[in-house]
């Protein structure tokens, strides 16, 4: 082996011939001074060597020895006239950056491993990580089971848009509403009551509706799988997409509906958020705003086929669900990109024993 520790050792005769050829290439330089002259020229052509305190001597010398071996091996492989030796001298300058980069990379790993960037910045949290945190918070929530003779109460503020044939839309005035939803599992015609604009209205389902995906009661939600993958498969099975809507978007929107006007067991709420994290195309929006003007963090998905985006808004600190809104993502007919299609914000929710009863009170 040679001095570099790699490659075959050269016979002494070959070394002598190599030195004679090199000396002939430098006609004006005494042969005894050839090695010093060559090394000086290499030092001039190569990048400056880092200070010893920054580059450990042993690794640096190892790369230097490997470099010199590359030079020797290259000359041994391709004998050339003496006049061309000078043309090959710049070649180590092309080889050295590769060795230097390898050394610098090793040093960078050594210096930064286990540390931060030094400027205090942190990687931005992804939608998947955020939803996992939301799921963890939901799993720890204190929710009492809801009996079938009770009602889920939700107070909210929001508005929707009236869509016209030319593609334009007109937003309704923003307003508050209260809703009471029956928790009975059997098929029912009157499934709830709404208080809006100073009046009460019965919420009826033509032909009656049992508890299910379109009327999610506490007990029905409790019957859903808590494994996120199994739950997502079940949601795909139960959800129908509207005309022109992606199936995946329909499932995302359905989860949003389940989050809005329900009270559900903590483990089922956590499973819903984890299932949502598995839906393709879900992203995070750093500054989302609900219909009540509250700022938070958003979970977003865009329906490329339907040209609209749905966003769920969560409190940045408590990670509580605040509301959602949807808007156009592209111009369509007379409709313009950014037009709000709907928005809502949950102000209060709870469990009561009768219609028109509010949480914390025995009367309307």
């Amino acid at each position: 082996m040679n001095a570099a520790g790699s490659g075959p050792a050269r016979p002494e005769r070959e070394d002598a011939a190599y030195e004679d050829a090199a000396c002939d290439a430098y006609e004006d330089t005494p042969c005894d001074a050839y090695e010093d002259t060559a090394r000086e020229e290499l030092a001039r052509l190569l990048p400056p060597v880092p200070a010893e305190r920054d580059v450990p001597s042993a690794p640096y010398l190892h790369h230097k020895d490997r470099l010199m071996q590359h030079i020797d091996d290259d000359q041994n492989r391709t004998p050339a006239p003496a006049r061309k030796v000078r043309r090959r001298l710049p070649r180590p300058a092309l080889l050295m950056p590769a060795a230097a980069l390898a050394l610098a990379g090793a040093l960078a790993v050594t210096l930064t491993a286990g540390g931060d960037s030094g400027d205090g910045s942190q990687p931005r949290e992804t939608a998947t990580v955020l939803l996992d945190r939301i799921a963890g918070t939901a799993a720890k929530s204190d929710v009492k089971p809801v009996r079938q003779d009770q009602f889920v109460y939700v107070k909210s503020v929001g508005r929707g848009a009236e869509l016209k044939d030319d593609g334009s839309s007109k937003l309704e005035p923003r307003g508050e509403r209260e809703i009471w939803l029956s928790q009975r599992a059997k098929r029912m015609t009157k499934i709830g009551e709404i208080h809006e604009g100073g009046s009460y209205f019965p919420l009826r389902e033509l032909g009656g509706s049992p508890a299910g995906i379109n009327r999610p009661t506490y007990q029905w939600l409790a019957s859903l799988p808590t494994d996120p993958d199994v739950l997502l498969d079940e949601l795909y099975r139960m959800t129908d997409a509207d005309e022109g809507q992606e199936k995946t978007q329909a499932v995302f929107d359905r989860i949003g509906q389940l989050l809005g006007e329900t009270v559900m067991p903590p483990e089922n709420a956590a499973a819903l958020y984890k299932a949502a994290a598995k839906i393709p195309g879900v992203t995070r929006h750093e500054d989302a705003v609900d219909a009540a003007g509250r700022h938070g963090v958003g979970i977003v998905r865009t329906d490329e086929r339907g040209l609209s985006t749905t966003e769920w808004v969560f409190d940045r600190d408590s990670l509580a669900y605040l509301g959602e809104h949807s808007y156009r993502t592209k111009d369509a007919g007379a409709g313009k990109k950014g037009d709000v299609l709907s928005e809502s914000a949950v102000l209060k929710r709870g469990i009561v024993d009768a219609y028109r009863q509010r949480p914390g009170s025995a009367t309307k």
Side-chain angles (χ1 to χ4, degrees):
M1 301 291 288
N2 60 16
S6 63
R10 291 191 304 271
E12 292 183 2
R13 288 179 300 174
E14 185 177 342
D15 285 344
Y18 172 83
E19 292 179 3
D20 290 343
C23 289
D24 291 340
Y26 290 84
E27 297 176 358
D28 298 330
T29 304
C31 186
D32 292 341
Y34 164 72
E35 182 175 354
D36 291 339
T37 302
R39 290 184 182 277
E40 289 175 1
E41 184 161 356
L42 278 172
R44 179 177 62 82
L45 294 170
L46 297 176
V49 178
E52 288 183 2
R53 65 177 182 274
D54 293 327
V55 180
S57 57
Y60 172 72
L61 292 176
H62 167 73
H63 286 289
K64 179 179 177 182
D65 289 340
R66 293 295 303 273
L67 169 64
M68 296 308 297
Q69 179 61 35
H70 278 304
I71 299 171
D72 293 344
D73 290 346
D74 183 74
Q75 291 178 345
N76 288 336
R77 286 195 304 268
T78 314
R83 66 179 180 275
K84 291 187 179 181
V85 173
R86 279 189 185 273
R87 294 182 184 179
R88 273 204 294 268
L89 283 178
R91 189 169 179 176
L94 299 176
L95 295 172
M96 184 61 182
L101 286 172
L103 178 59
L107 289 173
V109 170
T110 301
L111 294 174
T112 60
D116 55 29
S117 60
D119 60 2
S121 63
Q122 296 294 330
R124 180 174 172 179
E125 186 179 52
T126 64
T128 300
V129 174
L130 174 60
L131 282 166
D132 189 65
R133 286 204 301 126
I134 294 172
T137 299
K140 299 174 184 176
S141 61
D142 183 18
V143 177
K144 296 180 180 179
V146 184
R147 302 190 312 266
Q148 286 201 43
D149 62 343
Q150 292 182 307
F151 302 84
V152 166
Y153 167 90
V154 179
K155 181 179 181 179
S156 62
V157 60
R159 57 180 173 173
E162 180 186 353
L163 301 180
K164 300 182 179 180
D165 293 338
D166 62 358
S168 63
S169 58
K170 181 180 180 181
L171 271 177
E172 301 169 350
R174 187 182 289 113
E176 286 188 1
R177 86 167 186 176
E178 296 171 289
I179 188 169
W180 291 262
L181 295 167
S182 172
Q183 296 299 293
R184 294 197 181 278
K186 68 179 184 179
R187 182 179 296 273
M188 300 178 63
T189 302
K190 182 181 178 181
I191 61 175
E193 249 185 47
I194 294 176
H195 179 225
E196 190 173 26
S199 301
Y200 289 89
F201 307 94
L203 186 60
R204 298 187 182 277
E205 187 74 27
L206 187 63
S209 174
I213 189 69
N214 295 314
R215 190 167 75 84
T217 63
Y218 179 93
Q219 291 189 8
W220 180 83
L221 290 165
S223 72
L224 293 176
T226 54
D227 180 286
D229 292 302
V230 178
L231 175 59
L232 189 58
D233 288 342
E234 187 70 4
L235 290 171
Y236 269 95
R237 184 187 68 79
M238 294 186 292
T239 302
D240 295 323
D242 294 332
E243 184 179 355
Q245 183 186 37
E246 294 176 348
K247 177 77 169 188
T248 302
Q249 185 67 33
V251 172
F252 182 81
D253 289 347
R254 177 63 73 179
I255 293 176
Q257 293 166 8
L258 296 177
L259 299 174
E261 294 183 332
T262 62
V263 171
M264 71 178 75
E267 59 270 23
N268 296 99
L272 272 177
Y273 289 121
K274 290 182 178 180
K278 297 177 178 293
I279 295 177
V282 174
T283 60
R284 168 188 171 130
H285 181 200
E286 191 60 32
D287 185 21
V289 185
D290 70 6
R294 297 174 296 188
H295 288 255
V297 61
I299 293 295
V300 184
R301 192 183 190 282
T302 297
D303 184 350
E304 298 296 343
R305 185 182 301 172
L307 309 180
S308 65
T309 290
T310 300
E311 179 173 55
W312 306 335
V313 186
F314 298 88
D315 184 273
R316 192 178 302 278
D317 298 320
S318 69
L319 300 181
Y321 175 86
L322 299 180
E324 74 167 48
H325 73 276
S326 63
Y327 54 90
R328 293 184 187 274
T329 54
K330 295 181 180 179
D331 294 346
K336 301 300 181 184
K337 177 180 178 180
D339 286 350
V340 176
L341 301 176
S342 67
E343 59 178 3
S344 65
V346 175
L347 304 178
K348 191 173 184 178
R349 77 173 77 207
I351 304 166
V352 296
D353 295 325
Y355 284 126
R356 306 187 187 186
Q357 184 183 33
R358 293 166 179 82
S361 67
T363 63
K364 61 180 181 180

